[in-house]
Amino acid sequence: MDLTPTADEERLRAEARAWLRAHVPAAPLPSLETAEGFAAHRAWEAELAAARWSVVSWPERYGGRDADVFGWLAFEEEYYAAGAPGRVSQNGIHLLAPTLLAHGTEEQRARVLPPMAAGETVWAQAWSEPEAGSDLASLTSRAVRTDGGWLLSGQKTWSSRAAFADRAFGIFRTDPAPVAGGRPHRGLTYLMFDLRAPGVTVRPIGRLDGKPAFAELFLDEVFVPDADVIGEPGQGWEIAMSATGDERGLTLRSPGRFLAAADRLVRLWRTHGDPADSALRDRVADAVIGARAYRLFTAAAASRSAAGAELGAGSSLTKVFWSRLDLALHETALDLLGPEGELADSAWAEGHVFSLAGPIYAGTNEIQRDIIAERLLGLPKGRR
């Protein structure tokens, strides 16, 4: 693995650094889990898109810069180091867009991707169901054939961004027969739908701090045209799995996020740390080591991906690692701050609330450990 940056990566990094220095808001935006903050972050997405920084790895015709994965990683490091706002379009950019680029039609890509890049259309993920969290194959929400499209019915839950988003994507059961045959992964179809369409009810779910970071979706015969089916009906499971590989592996949590957080933690130690507290000092050091190790691990995964290899079950290793690292970073920061860290709306407190969800979303860590045990280590199946 050669970590020497290319001339193109260095140019992109330098250009991004200069632009971010000139444009990152001087004061933090309001939390994107509020209506006011959501609107402010949507405006920030538009500003990024106008300068073609919102989706650097996409083709230029959709608003990107044609950067490879190493260019994207370099941009992400600059982005987080600059203290730039969180990305309200993350579900669409890092989950739906790769799916459309791999499995969608050119008409879908041309229609969906540019407004997604500009923050004009913000997407929610609608996969989990009350009785089918990480066991996605057991979902029961259905899509029934009708003239010119499908009618969606059922309930989705823990839908990220759905409280304020415009549209959503998810998989639905279009053929119940495989369930009776013991093959629940079959008969699923991947669809996009409008959150403001007749028959959709959005009920926000408050986090520990009361902010609606998630929502439940109730669907009552919601019409979706054939144009919004991704891939062929019945291929939903295979398409969803390619998306989760992206989510758990390279794209959902770039190393730049943790490197920047680790740098902030070191600065926090210098202002709040007790030199006699060697245990807490060691936790700060461990967090820095973890962030740098994750950078190297991601670079290795990117090298394999660039060479054409599938990330496969290795994505589960990545997901478990970054979710635990995120928790460790924020818990250490709160311990450093003491009672001050409990103040609502501080960056560390809000980050800690979000990090608590890390072992759950994108497939629970328990499920990921099962995958690691069975597919990477060859251990016998158990627990499930």
Side-chain angles (χ1 to χ4, degrees):
M1 181 175 64
D2 183 2
L3 296 179
T4 306
T6 66
D8 285 345
E9 289 166 27
E10 290 284 31
R11 277 194 293 272
L12 185 141
R13 181 186 287 275
E15 189 181 348
R17 183 180 298 166
W19 189 89
L20 290 163
R21 187 181 299 126
H23 291 84
V24 168
L29 300 182
S31 169
L32 60 81
E33 313 299 357
T34 64
E36 177 193 14
F38 200 88
H41 282 77
R42 192 195 288 261
W44 169 248
E45 291 290 337
E47 189 171 350
L48 280 173
R52 293 192 303 120
W53 289 117
S54 65
V55 285
V56 297
S57 60
W58 287 13
E60 290 187 11
R61 64 183 179 281
Y62 303 132
R65 290 174 175 254
D66 271 327
D68 63 15
V69 66
F70 298 101
W72 173 75
L73 288 168
F75 169 75
E76 289 278 293
E77 287 185 11
E78 294 301 324
Y79 189 88
Y80 285 102
R87 303 295 303 275
V88 75
S89 290
Q90 191 171 55
N91 283 327
I93 290 171
H94 295 313
L95 291 174
L96 179 58
T99 302
L100 287 174
L101 290 168
H103 304 282
T105 65
E106 182 49 41
E107 185 279 329
Q108 289 173 330
R109 291 190 281 266
R111 172 166 53 91
V112 172
L113 296 183
M116 179 195 296
E120 296 167 4
T121 306
V122 177
W123 290 80
Q125 185 184 22
W127 285 9
S128 294
E129 297 188 2
E131 302 299 328
S134 293
D135 186 10
L136 198 59
S138 63
L139 63 83
T140 58
S141 290
R142 63 189 186 278
V144 178
R145 202 75 176 93
T146 190
D147 289 343
W150 302 80
L151 294 175
L152 309 186
S153 295
Q155 180 184 354
K156 300 287 184 177
T157 192
W158 303 117
S159 184
S160 306
R161 305 278 182 269
F164 306 114
D166 307 294
R167 306 200 73 201
F169 55 92
I171 54 177
F172 292 81
R173 188 160 299 286
T174 48
D175 182 0
V179 177
R183 297 184 298 174
H185 302 81
R186 307 284 179 86
L188 300 169
T189 299
Y190 205 126
L191 297 117
M192 302 177 282
F193 58 97
D194 193 333
L195 287 172
R196 299 185 180 89
V200 177
T201 300
V202 178
R203 188 162 70 186
I205 300 173
R207 294 189 312 198
L208 286 174
D209 59 7
K211 295 169 185 166
F214 309 96
E216 292 176 288
L217 306 177
F218 298 90
L219 310 171
D220 182 11
E221 295 195 335
V222 178
F223 177 74
V224 173
D226 285 325
D228 281 348
V229 175
I230 303 175
E232 296 295 326
Q235 289 185 336
W237 180 261
E238 292 78 5
I239 295 171
M241 289 305 99
S242 71
T244 56
D246 287 324
E247 182 182 29
R248 295 167 188 161
L250 287 174
T251 58
L252 185 62
R253 293 288 173 258
S254 66
R257 172 192 178 96
F258 303 109
L259 290 169
D263 285 345
R264 288 194 293 123
L265 185 63
V266 171
R267 292 197 293 273
L268 193 64
W269 166 262
R270 288 173 178 157
T271 56
H272 289 70
D274 177 358
D277 190 344
S278 59
L280 196 50
R281 182 201 60 188
D282 288 351
R283 287 170 60 194
V284 173
D286 285 344
V288 173
I289 292 167
R292 294 183 183 182
Y294 181 54
R295 182 176 190 258
L296 292 174
F297 187 86
T298 305
S303 295
R304 293 195 300 274
S305 179
E310 295 279 340
L311 295 180
S315 297
S316 297
L317 283 173
T318 311
K319 197 272 172 176
V320 172
F321 189 87
W322 62 246
S323 59
R324 290 173 59 84
L325 175 60
D326 205 18
L327 268 174
L329 276 162
H330 286 87
E331 287 173 350
T332 304
L334 293 188
D335 286 344
L336 265 170
L337 288 167
E340 180 186 340
E342 301 299 322
L343 295 176
D345 290 333
S346 73
W348 283 114
E350 174 138 342
H352 179 247
V353 171
F354 187 81
S355 72
L356 292 172
I360 301 172
Y361 67 80
T364 66
N365 281 6
E366 287 77 8
I367 293 291
Q368 304 316 307
R369 290 190 179 94
D370 281 347
I371 294 172
I372 292 166
E374 295 166 14
R375 301 183 194 175
L376 294 181
L377 304 178
L379 300 177
K381 289 188 177 182
R383 187 158 52 189
R384 285 183 297 174

